[in-house]
Amino acid sequence: MILKRQLFILIALILASGMAFSQNSPNIIVFMVDDMGWQDTSVPFADGVTEMNKRYKTPNMERLAAQGTKFTNAYANSVCTPTRVSFLTGMSAARHRVTNWTSPEKDKLTDYADDLFTSPSWNLNGISSGPSIPATVNATPLPQLLKDAGYFTAHVGKAHWGPFGTPASNPRNLGFVVNIAGSSIGHPESYYGEENYGNNPGRPLMLNAVPGLGEYYGSDIFLTEALTLEAIKAVADPIKYKKPFFLYLSHYAVHTPIEGDPRFLKKYLDKGVDSIEAKYASLIEGMDKSLGDVMDMLEEKKIADNTIIMFISDNGGLSLVPPRGGEAYTHNYPLKAGKGSLYEGGIREPMLVKWPGVTKAGSVSGQNVHINDFFPTILEMAGIRNVSTKQTVDGITFIPSLKDPALKDDSRAIVWHYPNRWTSDESNAFCYASAIRQGDWKLIYLMKQKKLELYNLKDDLGEKKDISATNPKKAKELAAKLSEMLKSYKAQMPIYKSSGLPVAWPDGTTTVK
Amino acid sequence: MILKRQLFILIALILASGMAFSQNSPNIIVFMVDDMGWQDTSVPFADGVTEMNKRYKTPNMERLAAQGTKFTNAYANSVCTPTRVSFLTGMSAARHRVTNWTSPEKDKLTDYADDLFTSPSWNLNGISSGPSIPATVNATPLPQLLKDAGYFTAHVGKAHWGPFGTPASNPRNLGFVVNIAGSSIGHPESYYGEENYGNNPGRPLMLNAVPGLGEYYGSDIFLTEALTLEAIKAVADPIKYKKPFFLYLSHYAVHTPIEGDPRFLKKYLDKGVDSIEAKYASLIEGMDKSLGDVMDMLEEKKIADNTIIMFISDNGGLSLVPPRGGEAYTHNYPLKAGKGSLYEGGIREPMLVKWPGVTKAGSVSGQNVHINDFFPTILEMAGIRNVSTKQTVDGITFIPSLKDPALKDDSRAIVWHYPNRWTSDESNAFCYASAIRQGDWKLIYLMKQKKLELYNLKDDLGEKKDISATNPKKAKELAAKLSEMLKSYKAQMPIYKSSGLPVAWPDGTTTVK
C-alpha cells in the first residue's frame, strides 16, 4: 500500500511538472546584428583599445563579454544572405550557392554588371525547405530541427532568406513558430515609428517597408526598440509554460538607412563625431540597449542561468562613402575594406557567447570560427543528436573552444567564395574572389586580376603586404587546399563572357563545364 | 522488485506520452465569415428552400450541417467590430461599447454625420487586454484563456479588433500564439495574389493592404485559398505535437471589394446571375471550399473526431446597391434589410456547430443564440472552469442546445444596441437603434423616429407589419425589459446636438448625464 501511494504521488508530480524533463534543454538566443563591423563596439576585439572602441558605447556587449567568451577570430560571409543561409543550414556559401544577397523580388539578379564575367547561376531565390523551388538551396533549416525537438522557436526582425513569392519570405516556413517583422527585405525602409517603418498609406509603397509592428505605428518607438519589445513578448509564453525556446533576434540595425536613434544621437554629435557617423553610433548603442534589455529580462525571469546567448553580426561593417561618413574603407580599421569584401574588414565579426555552466566569465578565444559553425554547435547545445538533414553540413562545433578558450586548432581551414560582383569597386576584393584562412595564414584569390595574395594575419592584420612572392610554397599549398575545398563544395565559378568558359580554380586548374 | 519495475514502466509511459492527458481537450475551430448573409448558402436556414439557397453552392456547409447542428435563430451584431469584440469577450456590445466598426486609424470616428444626434463617446479604438488604452474596452480575451489552459492558439485572416498604433492591431497581443494576415484592417485591398493583396511597391500604399502572405505575391492564389493554406500549416505543429489547438479562421471573404474568385466565377455568369452577384457567389463558394479543405485535413490527420467546428458570420449580408448588384435591401430575403441594420437581415447569421460525440448529425436547433454566447460555450467545451476575467460576460452557454436541439428556452432575451449611424439611410434601422428579441417577439427602438416597432417573427419573419399598436402590453413589456437590460449593461445613448442631453431609454425614461 505504501508503494502504491508513492507511485501515485510520483505520477502526480510528473504530471504537475508537465514538461519538466525538457526544461533541462537550455534556452538559446542568437542575437544577430546587421552590417555591424568588428570595431563597432566598446569591446576590444583587436589587441588593445582602438579609436573606434573609444567612440562606440556598448556597455551591454561589455557585460556579455564579461560573463562569457569573446571570440577574436570569428567570421561570417561578406554579404548578408549568404551568411544567413549558412547560419540556417550549416553549409558553406560555396556549397549552398546563395553566394550573393537576394532581392525581395523573385528571380532578380543583384549582381553589379561586369564587362569580363557573368556570375554563375547562383541560388538567387535563396533557400527552400519544403518542395524545391528553382534557384534555391533545398535544405533542412536549424529552427525546424529545434522545433521538432520541442523548442519554441521565435523569429524577430530581419529574415532575408528569399524573395516574395517564395515560402522563404515567411520564416514560419523555415521552422519558426512565430515570425515578427521578418520577410524578404534586407533593410528597413525606415527605423521610425512616426513613419510606420515605411508603411504610409497614400504614399508609394516601398519595397522595404517593414512588415508587422502595426501597434507601434505613429509612435516614437524606434525600430530597434520595437523589435526588442516584441522579442521579450515572444518568449513570454515559453517562459511561462516552461518550454525551452530558441529566439533569433535579428536586428535591422545597423544597416542603412543610417537614421539616428534619437535616444542616443545627441551625445555623439556633442562629442563632435561626424554627423552621419554619429547616427551610426546611435544605431549601435540602440542595438546594445536591446541586448541589455534581453539580458535584464532573463535575470528578472530567473532563467539567465539556463539561457545561452550568442552575439554575432552577418558581415563586416559597411565602408562605402556615402552612405557612411568619414573616409571610405577606414571604418573597420585596423582591418582592411568592409562589407562585401573578402579582406578582413568584410568578414571578421564581433562574436560573444555566454553558456552558463560552460563558458568562463571574461574568457577570450582566438580560435578561427565561422558562421557555418553555429548550426552544429547549437544542435549540440540543445542536446539534439543524429539529426537527418537534406544538406551536407560544413560547419563544425566550437563547443571545445567554449569549454577551453585557450584551445587553438590550426588544422581548421575556413573558405569564402564570392563568384559575384557587389559594387563598382574592383580593388578591394568586393568581387569575384575566394579566400581561405588556416591558422594565421590567409590566401585571397582575385579572379579578375588572376592573382593570389598571401597574408600572415598575426603579423599583418591589416592585409597591407602581400607576401605570396616571398612565400611561394605556402601560397601554393593554400591555393591547392582552397581549390580542393571549393571543388568538394561543388562551388560555382564566374564565366568569361568572351568564351563561356569558367574561371580557373585558385591553383590554376580549370574545370570546363 | 516487481513493483519497482512496474513503476519504472509506468513513468516511462507517462513521459513518452508527453501531453497525452491534455489531448482529451478537443481542438476547436471557429470558422468566421465576413459579411455573409443568412441566405448566402445552399443550406436552408429559413423554412423551405429559397431562391438564394438555389443560387449559392456551399456543399461543404451542407456537409457540416449534415454532421452537426444547424442553428436557425443565431445572431451577431449588425456590423463587424462589435461582433468580433463580443466574440472575444463574451460581452454585449452595449457593455463593451465598441458599438461601431473601428477604423484602421487611431482615434478616428467612423460614424456617418447626423443633423440631430452625436454618437456617444464609444470605444472607437476597439479592445485592449494589457494596460488600458483610451477609448478601448479592457478585457480578458478568449484566446488568452485558451492559451493559458494549454491550447495552441492560431489567428488566420481578418482581425479588426483595434486600430494601428494600439496593441490590438496584432492578434498576438490578444492571446493568439500565431497571427497570419490579421491587423487593424476590416477588408482586403485586393483578393488577388497577382496584386499582392494590395501591397504593390511603387504604387500608393492602401490602408487595407493585407499584411503578411508575402510567399503568395505574384501568384494566382486567391486570398481565401492563401488563408486556407496558412490555416492548415498553422495547426500542423499542434497536430504533430499532440497539443490541442484553437484555430480562428476568419476569412476576409465575402466582404467588399466584391472581386470574383476565378475558380468559381464562370458558372454563375453562365447561369445568368447578375455580374456583381456572380462575383459575390464565387466569393461564397471559395469560402465554402476553404471549409471543405479544413474538414478534409481533419479527416486525413485523423483528428476529425476530436475537433469541434463552429461556423458563423459576423453580421448580415450587405444589402447596399452599389456595391451589391440587383435591387437594394433584397439580398437577405425573406429577411428585411441587411448589414448595419437591426432588422433581421442585418443580424441573423448562418450558424453550424459540429461537436463529435455531442451534437447529433443533421440536427436543427431553433434556440435564440448570439455571438456573445461563444465565449462561455467555448470555455466550457475546452473544459476551462472558474476563469477570472476583467469583464462581465453577458453570453450564456448554448451547450444545452447542442446536447438537445429540441430545447427551446423562451426566457432568454437578446439585446442589440447601436447608438451610431452607419450610412445615409435612416429608414432601415441602420442608425440609432436598439432591439430585443425574446421568444418569437422582437421589439425595435428607432431613436430618431422616437418609435417602437413590434414584430412576431414566427408570423412575420420579414418584419413587414409593426404590431405594436395592436399589442401595446407586449410592446411595453419588451420596452421595459430592453431598457432594464441596457441600463444593466451601462449602455451609452446618442446625444441631442441641440440640448446635449441623451436620448431617452426605450421605455421613455431618461437618464440625464
Side-chain angles (χ1 to χ4, degrees), chain A residues 260-399:
Chain A
D261 186 329
R263 300 171 296 173
F264 306 103
L265 179 58
K266 187 170 177 295
K267 71 174 163 194
Y268 295 101
L269 292 170
D270 288 349
K271 282 201 289 188
V273 176
D274 165 89
S275 58
I276 293 174
E277 293 305 288
K279 289 181 183 173
Y280 187 83
S282 76
L283 284 175
I284 292 283
E285 191 167 346
M287 169 283 294
D288 181 81
K289 175 184 180 292
S290 170
L291 176 64
D293 290 350
V294 170
M295 292 174 75
D296 288 348
M297 178 271 291
L298 298 176
E299 287 166 15
E300 279 159 27
K301 301 277 189 182
K302 303 193 191 314
I303 55 168
D305 284 352
N306 193 34
T307 303
I308 298 169
I309 307 179
M310 311 173 81
F311 180 106
I312 197 164
S313 171
D314 70 339
N315 49 242
L318 185 67
S319 63
L320 305 180
V321 177
R324 291 293 298 266
E327 188 184 344
Y329 310 134
T330 65
H331 303 82
N332 301 295
Y333 184 85
L335 305 185
K336 183 172 175 178
K339 176 182 180 180
S341 170
L342 295 194
Y343 290 122
E344 294 288 300
I347 53 179
R348 200 186 281 222
E349 307 302 331
M351 174 173 159
L352 304 168
V353 178
K354 177 193 175 189
W355 185 0
V358 176
T359 49
K360 284 148 199 72
S363 58
V364 180
S365 167
Q367 177 61 28
N368 299 342
V369 296
H370 188 266
I371 192 74
N372 299 347
D373 302 338
F374 277 60
F375 187 99
T377 300
I378 289 173
L379 289 181
E380 193 177 338
M381 287 169 159
I384 301 171
R385 289 178 198 85
N386 304 319
V387 295
S388 164
T389 59
K390 295 179 184 174
Q391 71 273 27
T392 300
V393 173
D394 299 307
I396 56 173
T397 176
F398 53 76
I399 290 180

Side-chain angles (χ1 to χ4, degrees), chain A residues 3 6-7 10-11 14-15 18-19 21 144 147-150 152 163-170 172-173 177-180 198-207 211-218 230 233-234 237 240-241, chain B residues 3 6-7 10-11 14-15 18-19 21 144 147-150 152 163-170 172-173 177-180 198-207 211-218 230 233-234 237 240-241:
Chain A
L3 264 168
Q6 287 172 333
L7 181 68
L10 189 55
I11 293 169
I14 291 168
L15 289 175
M19 307 190 65
F21 60 98
Q144 184 66 53
K147 186 170 74 169
D148 287 348
F152 181 91
F164 289 120
T166 75
S169 75
N170 185 351
R172 280 184 40 78
N173 293 319
V177 174
V178 167
N179 167 41
I180 295 160
N199 301 273
N200 295 291
R203 278 159 50 187
L205 175 60
M206 307 307 286
L207 197 58
L213 304 181
E215 71 182 279
Y216 305 100
Y217 285 5
E230 288 300 304
K233 276 200 295 198
D237 279 347
K240 185 172 175 182
Y241 306 124
Chain B
L3 265 169
Q6 286 172 333
L7 181 69
L10 189 55
I11 294 170
I14 290 168
L15 289 175
M19 306 190 64
F21 61 98
Q144 183 66 53
K147 187 170 73 168
D148 287 348
F152 181 91
F164 289 120
T166 75
S169 75
N170 186 349
R172 280 183 40 78
N173 293 319
V177 175
V178 167
N179 167 40
I180 295 160
N199 302 273
N200 295 293
R203 279 161 47 190
L205 175 60
M206 308 308 285
L207 197 59
L213 304 181
E215 72 183 278
Y216 304 100
Y217 285 6
E230 288 299 305
K233 277 200 293 197
D237 279 346
K240 185 172 176 182
Y241 305 124

Side-chain angles (χ1 to χ4, degrees), chain B residues 140-160:
Chain B
T140 308
L142 177 63
Q144 183 66 53
L145 296 168
L146 290 163
K147 187 170 73 168
D148 287 348
Y151 272 78
F152 181 91
T153 52
H155 179 280
V156 181
K158 169 172 162 169
H160 203 191

